[in-house]
Amino acid sequence: MTHFFRSFKTKVTIVFILAMFIAGAVNNFLIYEYSIRSQFEQLRRSIKVLAQTMALQLNAGNILNIPLNESGVATEEYKDAVRKLSSVGKAAPSIAYIYVLRSTEKPGIYKFVIDLHSGTGKQALPPALPGKGYDGSRFSAIGEAFNGPSADDKIVTDEWGVFLSGYAPIRDKSGKTIAILGIDFKAKEVYNLQKEVRIRAAIILFLGVLFSVIVGILLSGGVTNRINKLVEGIRHISKGDLSYRVKVGGDDEIRELARAFNHMAVNLHASREKLVNYFYRVVESLIRILEARDPYTKGHSDRVSKYSEKIALEMGLPPKDVETLREAALLHDIGKLGVHEIVLNKKMELTKDEREEIRKHPSIGEEILKPVSSDKNILQVIREHHERYDGKGYPDGLTGEKINPLAAIVSVADSYDAMTSHRAYRTDLTKDAAMEQLKENSGIQFDPKVVDAFIKVMKDEKGASV
Ligand code: FE
């Protein structure tokens, strides 16, 4: 989980989501605030104008003459005002209520002069009679109307319905406001429209976020895929595959990084080549020294190496193993550098101590090469080239499959060459006799698979030379 949050992909994705969130919210704000708000303001202005127009049709003196009690409805002034307001109300069916209010001593509390229900359908309350009290303290716009036309600043949803109300002063000749006229405009459609726009804005926001998540994942995926290629390259290099090159498209920092990486791999490869060459020169010198000390081994290492390579190819070993085997076989007796020359060249039978000394050469060889060869396989082949299939070999007495398979090959090649070439302690056998020896010891001293492969190699050579 912590890896998830550390990953570059996640970070980029989160940045994208946040950016789109902000963009979406700003978008939403712009649509809602500027578009809807301006339309709403226009509606408020229209309602104010409408209220003002209606208020101007009423005579302030007549309104003052209407008594604020039930008998008010019987007055001519009342009937005249209702007639005028009704005609306007009919022309504007969106208006549900038209009313005239007068102020009282208590702020926010008003008294009805006229209450006209111009709308059709079910009405929540019967029209209020003159003098009926009304608590308008919730609506600051009513109070403002005594100074000039006003309107509620938001749509009101209450027990009478969904309305937007506008108000205008009714002034006498001296300009003093004696009452206000209010109209309740049916605003359900506007309200629904506002609601719908809000939902649409939310959907746009949601789609924006969804889109940003997808785009974020795809884009960051593009970046991380290329970084993964670099990581893959580093893995190859660390495993020793210096010929590996990173291929990254595009033309940005990651491409530059890949170029630098490939350059580094080329340099590493070159320096390893130098090291390998150095190693071979050292090995060559060691073999020359060995051959100088023990004339009978002259050419032996080369021949064992060649036989081993042929056996390995016959057995179908991978090229890397064949190469390792070739090197290891060349060096298999290098440990004899640590054995006394007198013992190496002794023509008489060796004493027990001398035999012990000779038997140390595989482990001495391993020790000699440890500082120059990092290839554990080569060291193992050198250490185990005198092990026997039946476990009677040295230095570790390993048996059968426990012996390094490359060491088992060197063992056969080494024995064959020893039997067919001059040695200090023995004369050479014919090739056929040597092959017979190998066959007889197959499964005892030698790995049968290796002996079989060697028999095939020798048969093929014989066939080819005929
Ligand atoms: Fe040896």
Side-chain angles (χ1 to χ4, degrees):
M1 204 60 189
T2 48
H3 174 75
F4 176 77
F5 283 109
R6 273 206 310 260
S7 120
F8 189 63
K9 190 173 180 168
T10 313
K11 282 178 190 163
V12 173
T13 308
I14 288 169
V15 167
F16 261 96
I17 291 169
L18 287 178
M20 285 305 282
F21 237 116
I22 293 164
V26 168
N27 181 41
N28 196 32
F29 177 79
L30 288 178
I31 288 174
Y32 187 68
E33 283 302 310
Y34 288 90
S35 167
I36 284 304
R37 196 77 200 161
S38 69
Q39 279 181 20
F40 183 67
E41 280 306 318
Q42 210 168 0
L43 182 65
R44 282 184 74 219
R45 274 199 299 277
S46 307
I47 288 169
K48 279 195 253 182
V49 169
L50 196 59
Q52 181 67 53
T53 311
M54 289 170 98
L56 286 172
Q57 294 190 30
L58 298 177
N59 182 296
N62 287 353
I63 295 296
L64 281 177
N65 283 341
I66 297 168
L68 296 179
N69 53 51
E70 285 174 26
S71 66
V73 294
T75 62
E76 277 307 313
E77 287 89 343
Y78 182 88
K79 285 173 187 165
D80 178 59
V82 165
R83 207 164 39 243
K84 282 174 179 164
L85 295 177
S86 293
S87 63
V88 181
K90 271 175 197 143
S94 293
I95 297 167
Y97 304 109
I98 305 169
Y99 41 91
V100 174
L101 299 172
R102 286 182 65 182
S103 58
T104 65
E105 282 127 31
K106 287 184 198 160
I109 305 296
Y110 306 93
K111 277 190 171 171
F112 276 103
V113 183
I114 295 166
D115 184 22
L116 196 64
H117 291 192
S118 65
T120 50
K122 212 172 85 179
Q123 301 288 350
L125 284 171
L129 294 170
K132 190 172 189 254
Y134 173 68
D135 183 356
S137 53
R138 287 190 288 162
F139 307 106
S140 60
I142 299 177
E144 287 163 23
F146 282 86
N147 298 321
S150 68
D152 288 341
D153 53 12
K154 62 179 190 232
I155 291 172
V156 175
T157 313
D158 60 17
E159 61 268 38
W160 292 291
V162 181
F163 299 110
L164 183 67
S165 303
Y167 315 94
I170 300 168
R171 291 191 166 107
D172 64 13
K173 281 183 183 128
S174 67
K176 193 187 164 213
T177 303
I178 53 99
I180 59 115
L181 178 129
I183 53 175
D184 289 354
F185 190 84
K186 288 185 215 161
K188 193 155 187 164
E189 278 168 26
V190 178
Y191 181 77
N192 286 346
L193 188 73
Q194 282 186 349
K195 220 157 94 176
E196 201 185 310
V197 167
R198 250 188 230 124
I199 290 167
R200 275 188 195 176
I203 289 170
I204 289 168
L205 186 66
F206 173 75
L207 289 178
V209 170
L210 192 71
F211 173 78
S212 69
V213 168
I214 292 166
V215 169
I217 288 170
L218 290 179
L219 273 179
S220 62
V223 173
T224 47
N225 282 347
R226 294 158 77 222
I227 289 175
N228 283 345
K229 279 186 186 168
L230 278 177
V231 172
E232 185 62 25
I234 290 164
R235 271 199 203 113
H236 274 271
I237 294 284
S238 66
K239 276 184 196 155
D241 178 10
L242 297 182
S243 59
Y244 191 87
R245 297 288 176 271
V246 178
K247 286 191 189 91
V248 172
D251 192 22
D252 55 10
E253 295 88 340
I254 295 172
R255 179 73 189 276
E256 277 307 303
L257 205 59
R259 272 196 199 125
F261 178 85
N262 287 340
H263 194 66
M264 179 195 79
V266 168
N267 285 342
L268 274 176
H269 191 76
S271 60
R272 188 167 74 172
E273 289 282 285
K274 271 184 198 160
L275 269 177
V276 168
N277 285 339
Y278 168 76
F279 172 68
Y280 279 120
R281 284 207 300 278
V282 170
V283 165
E284 232 179 279
S285 317
L286 290 175
I287 292 165
R288 298 285 164 266
I289 296 166
L290 180 65
E291 287 180 350
R293 294 179 80 225
D294 179 6
Y296 293 97
T297 65
K298 199 162 174 67
H300 172 68
S301 303
D302 281 332
R303 289 194 300 274
V304 171
S305 179
K306 275 181 191 128
Y307 290 137
S308 298
E309 194 179 344
K310 282 176 186 171
I311 296 170
L313 291 172
E314 175 65 37
M315 289 173 81
L317 296 189
K320 199 173 173 267
D321 281 355
V322 177
E323 180 58 24
T324 304
L325 182 62
R326 215 173 53 77
E327 289 168 23
L330 264 180
L331 293 163
H332 74 280
D333 268 345
I334 208 75
K336 285 187 177 168
L337 286 173
V339 179
H340 280 103
E341 235 170 304
I342 300 158
V343 178
L344 279 181
N345 295 322
K346 195 176 175 186
K347 289 197 167 121
M348 312 219 282
E349 200 178 332
L350 300 175
T351 66
K352 196 178 170 236
D353 285 349
E354 287 164 345
R355 267 206 306 278
E356 281 300 310
E357 197 182 335
I358 284 268
R359 285 162 75 105
K360 278 182 189 156
H361 81 271
S363 44
I364 294 173
E366 186 192 13
E367 289 306 315
I368 289 173
L369 284 176
K370 247 185 202 167
V372 281
S373 177
S374 58
D375 190 335
K376 290 212 172 77
N377 216 6
I378 288 182
L379 300 178
Q380 217 178 8
V381 172
I382 289 163
R383 186 181 176 87
E384 296 175 15
H385 80 273
H386 280 291
E387 295 291 353
R388 288 169 53 115
Y389 198 71
D390 59 8
K392 289 179 182 164
Y394 60 88
D396 303 310
L398 301 175
T399 55
E401 305 298 321
K402 283 181 186 147
I403 301 165
N404 182 303
L406 303 183
I409 292 172
V410 173
S411 170
V412 170
D414 185 25
S415 298
Y416 176 81
D417 191 68
M419 287 189 276
T420 55
S421 59
H422 291 287
R423 281 280 161 138
Y425 42 87
R426 206 206 41 213
T427 50
D428 53 321
L429 293 178
T430 62
K431 287 180 180 177
D432 288 341
M435 285 311 290
E436 279 311 309
Q437 284 279 318
L438 290 183
K439 280 181 206 169
E440 270 172 39
N441 284 293
S442 178
I444 301 164
Q445 184 179 349
F446 307 114
D447 187 328
K449 292 194 294 291
V450 180
V451 174
D452 290 350
F454 192 48
I455 291 167
K456 271 186 199 158
V457 168
M458 294 315 275
K459 260 189 196 159
D460 290 350
E461 288 203 341
K462 238 182 172 179
S465 65
V466 169

